[in-house]
Amino acid sequence: MEVALITVGDELLSGDTVNTNANWLATELGDRGVAVPRILSVPDDRPVIADRAREYADAFDAVIVTGGLGSTPDDVTMEAVADAFGRELAPTDLTREAVERRLAVVRERIPDRDVDVDVDAEAAIPTGSRPLLNEAGLAPGCVVEGVYVMPGIPDELKSMFGAVSDEFAGDRRSRFLYTVEPESNIVPALEAAMDRFDVAVGCYPDREADHNRLKVTGTDEAAIDAAVEWLLSNVNASEEPVRRGWDD
C-alpha cells in the first residue's frame, strides 16, 4: 500500500508551525507496513489543494490531507477536496449531530463565553463521502475517492486517524543496524546488499548518537533477514546501537 500525505497551511510554509503531523503520520504508516512515497505541504489555496488531491488520488492507493478544517476564512481544505471530485458540500445528519454534541461540551466548559457556530457550515462535507467524526475537536473529516481529510490540530488528527488506522496496512518491513564506519567506507557493501537481496538499504548519520544507522527495507521477510545477516558479516555493524566519538 502506498499513501501520499498532503499537509495544508500557510503557517507550515512560512515556518511559523513545525510540521509534526507529516512526521507522525509517516511513522504510523511505516509501522503498519505502508509506503509513503510523497509528503507535500501546500498553502491555504483552494485550487492548489484540489489539484494535488486529485492528482495523488489517481497515483496512490490513498491520500491523507491534514489541516484547514473549520470555519475561519483560511479553512478551505474541505471545499478544495469537494472541488477535486466535483462534489457539493452539505452536512449529514451524523456530522450535524456530532458537531452539536461537541458544541454542547464546549459550552459546558466555558459557560461565560458565547460560542457562535454555524452548525451546518461546520458539519458540511462533500456529498457522498464517508464522515469521519472528530471526537477530540469540532470539524468532522471525511473519506472521498480514497482521500482521507483530517484536522491539522495534532490531538484531533491522532484521534481521527486512530478510528481508521486499520484501513492502512502494507507488507513493507524494516530492520535496523548500527555502525561507526564512515559512510564512504561501506558504500560498496550497501550496494552489494541491495543487488543480492532485492532490498533497499539507507544509511543515516546520527551525530548525537555517534553512529550511522542502516535501515534495511523490503517486502520479503526472508530477503530482509538474509540481507541483514550478510551486512553483519561484511560491515562492522551491530543490531544494537553502538557509539564512537566522531573525532576519534
Side-chain angles (χ1 to χ4, degrees), residues 166-189:
D166 289 347
E167 298 176 23
F168 299 91
D171 54 5
R172 285 170 60 90
R173 300 292 181 267
S174 298
R175 287 180 62 183
F176 290 94
L177 299 176
Y178 306 88
T179 180
V180 297
E181 289 292 327
E183 283 186 293
S184 57
N185 289 6
I186 59 176
V187 168

Side-chain angles (χ1 to χ4, degrees), residues 33 82 175 208 235-237:
R175 287 180 62 183
E208 291 185 2
V235 174
N236 180 21

Side-chain angles (χ1 to χ4, degrees), residues 13-179:
L13 299 174
S14 66
D16 293 332
T17 298
V18 177
N19 193 353
T20 57
N21 286 344
N23 178 266
W24 185 83
L25 280 169
T27 300
E28 289 292 311
L29 293 167
D31 288 346
R32 290 166 172 76
V34 176
V36 181
R38 297 286 188 282
I39 298 177
L40 177 68
S41 294
V42 297
D44 297 301
D45 184 304
R46 189 164 165 174
V48 171
I49 300 166
D51 288 346
R52 296 289 83 75
R54 184 169 51 248
E55 174 191 344
Y56 283 3
D58 288 340
F60 304 107
D61 298 306
V63 183
I64 299 177
V65 183
T66 72
L69 303 190
S71 54
T72 60
D74 59 337
D75 291 329
V76 297
T77 298
M78 198 64 81
E79 292 93 332
V81 173
D83 293 344
F85 303 106
R87 310 288 182 102
E88 299 295 325
L89 280 181
T92 68
D93 291 342
L94 184 62
T95 59
R96 185 185 291 111
E97 186 278 330
V99 169
E100 289 174 341
R101 174 167 47 82
R102 292 294 301 171
L103 276 174
V105 172
V106 171
R107 287 169 176 145
E108 188 174 300
R109 288 177 179 170
I110 49 173
D112 58 328
R113 297 290 184 88
D114 183 17
V115 182
D116 184 18
V117 174
D118 183 335
V119 172
D120 278 3
E122 193 79 16
I125 60 175
T127 54
S129 64
R130 170 161 56 104
L132 299 178
L133 302 187
N134 190 343
E135 299 298 340
L138 196 61
C142 73
V143 185
V144 54
E145 302 284 349
V147 176
Y148 291 69
V149 183
M150 299 188 182
I153 298 172
D155 288 348
E156 296 181 21
L157 167 64
K158 292 174 182 179
S159 173
M160 191 174 290
F161 179 80
V164 295
S165 59
D166 289 347
E167 298 176 23
F168 299 91
D171 54 5
R172 285 170 60 90
R173 300 292 181 267
S174 298
R175 287 180 62 183
F176 290 94
L177 299 176
Y178 306 88
T179 180

